[in-house]
Amino acid sequence: MRDVAAAADVSLKTVSRVVNREQGVGTATEARVTDTIRRLGFRRNDLARSLRRGQSTATIGLVVGDVGNPFFSGIARAVEQVAHDQGYMVITGSSDEDDDHERELVATLCSRRVDGILLVPAGRDQRYLLPEVAVGTAIVFLDRPPGGIGADAVVLDNVGGARRAVDHLLAQGHRRIGLLRDSTTVLTAQQRTRGYCAALAGAGIEVDQRLLRSGLHDADDAARAARDLLALDDPATALFAVNNRMSLGALRVLHCHDSPVALVGFDDFELADMLARPITVVAHDPAAMGATAAKLLFARLAGDTGPHRRVVLPTTLVARGSGEVPP
Amino acid sequence: MRDVAAAADVSLKTVSRVVNREQGVGTATEARVTDTIRRLGFRRNDLARSLRRGQSTATIGLVVGDVGNPFFSGIARAVEQVAHDQGYMVITGSSDEDDDHERELVATLCSRRVDGILLVPAGRDQRYLLPEVAVGTAIVFLDRPPGGIGADAVVLDNVGGARRAVDHLLAQGHRRIGLLRDSTTVLTAQQRTRGYCAALAGAGIEVDQRLLRSGLHDADDAARAARDLLALDDPATALFAVNNRMSLGALRVLHCHDSPVALVGFDDFELADMLARPITVVAHDPAAMGATAAKLLFARLAGDTGPHRRVVLPTTLVARGSGEVPP
DNA sequence: CTGAAAGCGCTAACAG
DNA sequence: CTGTTAGCGCTTTCAG
């Protein structure tokens, strides 16, 4: 900028005015400066700008479990869209559902002075965020509510959705319904398990611990667990998968299984309706979740200081076949 | 930092030393400073740090067509992983395959002084990047080679992959093979069309322009075009879809079509093998592409000044059924 | 309409 | 082992 000023024979401030389209620059001067800028290939340094202005880096952070998972990439896409409309960029990080990794990502984002953070928490305790909140960083939770602190959150009706899924299986006459779930620490898995238990309780069925498989990290784990459940002395006749990866594993097993086994999965799939055995799911809208959370964040950045809000998005049971198999 | 220095009764520089774990601070002093930092909730401002050090913001930019598309989110995930290993974060942006949008995103990234950019170009001309390259920003192209400038690139064997796909259909006896492709400006679509034409030429078949459908922006467009092709007086007996969205549209049509029509698509799908009509695809590895490109970028950032490299990743034809249907 | 000086939060270079 | 000074590239404040 100094170089531009020297070359155009004006003061630094004048260049700054031109760059920022401020008023009060003579047309001739402006033309000369604009020209010099182009000639020298000058580009404003937004780092320095943010530093000096002391606020708004026009950047928000997004921490999800894994951008490679369509659920999260759907969120990411929507967030990016809203951010772009506001002139913001987004730094995305995947926590791999790991507590420490989550904290590390958040810390880095804060060090870079992002204006706000959209967080899908992996851990159960986000008290580590208290200093950041105090400093004024806006934070909105996605998919799972905050632990140990108050904050805005956009979540799904997990208990209700799971309950409806399992009720649906019960209505088909199933009594032995296996549960496939990932890490027990992730709150959504817990809530969906609650829905599962509530449905069974509603039908007067006691939960058989052997039908509950936890700590499954990926589709392969889920597939192994599904095979297990179908090989029990008193095997499961139906499966409830708490998320898309669990469903994927289950699908892989059921696809090669002779006697039909019922399956309902949480999270929808792109090709769900065109499968050999179209899968019945608890569907919801990841993009709506991302967009809602992002809008909430920008409302906070715009000065909204109302009480913490919790938005609960609905889920719908979409019957496609795999859930309508009798025992 | 000044506050910490004052509160701990040391100089600014000493705090800086502690924060950066530099040598030469008395254990007692260090403890005092560390304590004060925690007490005051101090966090180093990486913006100011980057500004002062004059290099490395430890951030790279990634511009893709649409993070919501599994092809791109697979890339994003791999890029993020490599970046994280290097202590970098990544700012991701979706161009929506729009030329202007691409330039705007790149400009913003440059203003933020990212150390490097991974770019899936939407447009055909990236000469606008010349000033950035001159300034030292590292740039690696993904999926499509640069236009008008020299730069590293990681691409697929598009012509070869498409040719094999169409050869495969020809081997089944097909003579009227429809082509579904998106924007004609996107180079990958052009190359895949070249492969299509080459295969037909190899079989001594002239290209029928009515079988070529271009400018399809999404799966819905592709579905409409596919229906058209099957409703011709002399209808297509097979379809070649140039990417996952085109395939999706075609699948949707073929799924409800009585007489079987052959289909081969470029890009693999997660559930491809479990579909009612398992889809034959030209498969490749998006994650490998992202990782390779990211590693190339970091090699450049580490000082590699060799000539521009072009890495061509292989494609494989995976026969699953939809491509093995006779006319 | 234009410019000079000060300073954002930090680190590099040099003292002590 | 610790402190002082200058300055990264920009904007803000105030004075022409």
Side-chain angles (χ1 to χ4, degrees):
Chain A
M1 190 141 143
R2 206 186 44 213
D3 297 349
V4 175
D9 200 35
V10 291
S11 84
L12 241 160
K13 178 64 214 179
T14 302
V15 180
S16 173
R17 285 201 179 91
V18 173
V19 168
N20 295 301
R21 289 174 183 70
E22 279 174 40
Q23 307 234 316
V25 181
T27 7
T29 322
E30 174 169 352
R32 191 151 37 92
V33 172
T34 312
D35 200 61
T36 316
I37 286 177
R38 198 187 334 272
R39 194 158 51 75
L40 266 52
F42 168 81
R43 169 155 278 158
R44 182 180 67 193
N45 185 330
D46 278 351
L47 256 62
R49 181 187 158 89
S50 295
L51 180 59
R52 178 59 241 238
R53 306 186 68 191
Q55 9 123 344
S56 189
T57 51
T59 309
I60 60 172
L62 170 66
V63 177
V64 297
D66 171 11
V67 261
N69 182 323
F71 169 55
F72 293 120
S73 66
I75 290 177
R77 178 56 167 143
V79 167
E80 198 200 300
Q81 211 131 24
V82 174
H84 183 258
D85 291 345
Q86 305 272 346
Y88 275 65
M89 301 226 79
V90 15
I91 303 183
T92 311
S94 301
S95 71
D96 277 320
E97 303 296 4
D98 179 74
D99 205 355
D100 295 334
H101 200 167
E102 168 196 329
R103 271 205 300 278
E104 182 208 324
L105 286 169
V106 170
T108 313
L109 290 169
C110 290
S111 281
R112 298 186 183 217
R113 297 299 188 267
V114 293
D115 295 332
I117 293 180
L118 291 169
L119 175 61
V120 177
R124 297 294 313 272
D125 178 7
Q126 279 75 43
R127 273 175 304 183
Y128 67 87
L129 281 170
L130 283 171
E132 320 302 346
V133 174
V135 154
T137 309
I139 303 185
V140 175
F141 283 71
L142 270 91
D143 192 42
R144 307 156 197 173
I149 66 167
D152 293 324
V154 180
V155 297
L156 292 174
D157 173 20
N158 288 304
V159 178
R163 165 135 205 190
R164 240 167 304 140
V166 178
D167 275 340
H168 186 72
L169 289 169
L170 289 167
Q172 315 289 320
H174 292 281
R175 288 298 172 267
R176 295 192 59 71
I177 304 172
L179 177 80
L180 300 173
R181 71 169 174 176
D182 51 355
S183 164
T184 48
T185 59
V186 175
L187 198 74
T188 37
Q190 291 191 1
Q191 293 183 327
R192 291 169 195 177
T193 306
R194 276 239 304 283
Y196 167 91
C197 294
L200 290 185
I205 300 174
E206 227 176 304
V207 173
D208 181 345
Q209 293 297 329
R210 285 168 307 169
L211 293 177
L212 270 46
R213 300 300 160 113
S214 301
L216 316 174
H217 293 301
D218 51 34
D220 287 341
D221 283 351
R224 262 187 295 277
R227 258 188 293 271
D228 262 21
L229 288 171
L230 301 182
L232 289 176
D233 289 341
D234 193 3
T237 62
L239 298 175
F240 173 55
V242 302
N243 65 35
N244 59 11
R245 285 164 307 142
M246 302 297 107
S247 300
L248 205 62
L251 272 174
R252 228 159 256 305
V253 172
L254 301 196
H255 190 67
C256 328
H257 198 75
D258 340 302
S259 56
V261 174
L263 169 68
V264 178
F266 213 107
D267 296 340
D268 206 353
F269 285 95
E270 175 117 69
L271 295 169
D273 57 325
M274 296 195 292
L275 295 176
R277 293 231 281 123
I279 178 173
T280 295
V281 298
V282 179
H284 52 89
D285 188 352
M289 188 152 108
T292 307
K295 281 176 194 156
L296 212 53
L297 188 72
F298 284 111
R300 294 302 185 183
L301 293 181
D304 176 352
T305 53
H308 300 311
R309 253 175 270 170
R310 171 149 324 176
V311 180
V312 179
L313 298 178
T315 60
T316 345
L317 186 75
V318 181
R320 295 205 182 95
S322 78
E324 293 72 49
V325 177
Chain B
M1 191 141 142
R2 208 188 41 213
D3 297 349
V4 175
D9 200 34
V10 292
S11 83
L12 239 160
K13 178 67 211 179
T14 302
V15 179
S16 173
R17 286 202 178 91
V18 173
V19 168
N20 295 302
R21 290 176 183 68
E22 280 173 38
Q23 306 233 316
V25 180
T27 8
T29 322
E30 174 169 353
R32 193 150 36 94
V33 172
T34 312
D35 201 59
T36 315
I37 286 176
R38 199 188 331 270
R39 196 157 50 76
L40 266 53
F42 168 82
R43 168 155 278 159
R44 181 179 69 192
N45 185 330
D46 278 351
L47 257 61
R49 182 186 157 90
S50 294
L51 180 59
R52 177 61 239 239
R53 306 186 68 192
Q55 7 125 348
S56 190
T57 51
T59 309
I60 61 172
L62 170 66
V63 176
V64 297
D66 171 11
V67 260
N69 182 322
F71 169 54
F72 293 120
S73 68
I75 290 176
R77 177 57 168 143
V79 167
E80 197 200 301
Q81 211 132 23
V82 175
H84 183 258
D85 291 346
Q86 305 273 346
Y88 275 64
M89 300 224 82
V90 16
I91 302 183
T92 310
S94 301
S95 71
D96 276 320
E97 303 295 4
D98 179 74
D99 206 353
D100 295 333
H101 200 166
E102 167 196 330
R103 271 205 300 279
E104 182 208 324
L105 286 169
V106 170
T108 313
L109 290 170
C110 290
S111 281
R112 298 187 184 217
R113 297 297 190 269
V114 293
D115 296 332
I117 294 180
L118 291 169
L119 176 62
V120 177
R124 298 294 312 272
D125 179 8
Q126 278 75 44
R127 273 175 304 183
Y128 68 86
L129 280 171
L130 283 171
E132 319 303 345
V133 174
V135 154
T137 309
I139 304 186
V140 175
F141 283 71
L142 270 90
D143 193 42
R144 308 157 196 171
I149 67 167
D152 293 323
V154 180
V155 297
L156 291 174
D157 173 20
N158 288 304
V159 179
R163 164 135 206 190
R164 238 166 304 138
V166 178
D167 276 341
H168 186 70
L169 289 169
L170 289 167
Q172 316 289 320
H174 292 281
R175 288 297 170 268
R176 296 191 59 70
I177 303 173
L179 177 80
L180 301 173
R181 72 170 172 175
D182 50 356
S183 163
T184 49
T185 58
V186 174
L187 198 75
T188 37
Q190 292 192 359
Q191 294 184 326
R192 291 169 195 176
T193 306
R194 278 237 305 282
Y196 166 91
C197 294
L200 290 185
I205 300 174
E206 227 175 304
V207 173
D208 181 345
Q209 293 297 330
R210 286 168 307 171
L211 293 177
L212 270 47
R213 300 300 160 114
S214 300
L216 317 174
H217 293 301
D218 52 33
D220 287 341
D221 283 351
R224 264 187 294 276
R227 258 188 294 269
D228 263 20
L229 289 171
L230 301 183
L232 289 175
D233 290 342
D234 195 3
T237 63
L239 298 176
F240 173 55
V242 302
N243 65 36
N244 58 11
R245 285 163 308 142
M246 301 298 107
S247 300
L248 205 62
L251 273 174
R252 229 160 257 302
V253 172
L254 300 196
H255 190 67
C256 329
H257 199 75
D258 340 303
S259 56
V261 174
L263 169 68
V264 179
F266 214 107
D267 296 339
D268 205 354
F269 285 95
E270 174 117 71
L271 295 168
D273 57 325
M274 296 196 291
L275 294 175
R277 294 232 278 123
I279 179 172
T280 295
V281 297
V282 179
H284 52 88
D285 187 351
M289 188 153 106
T292 307
K295 281 176 193 153
L296 212 53
L297 188 73
F298 283 111
R300 294 302 184 183
L301 292 181
D304 177 352
T305 55
H308 298 312
R309 252 174 271 171
R310 171 149 325 178
V311 180
V312 179
L313 298 178
T315 60
T316 345
L317 186 75
V318 181
R320 294 205 183 95
S322 78
E324 294 71 49
V325 176

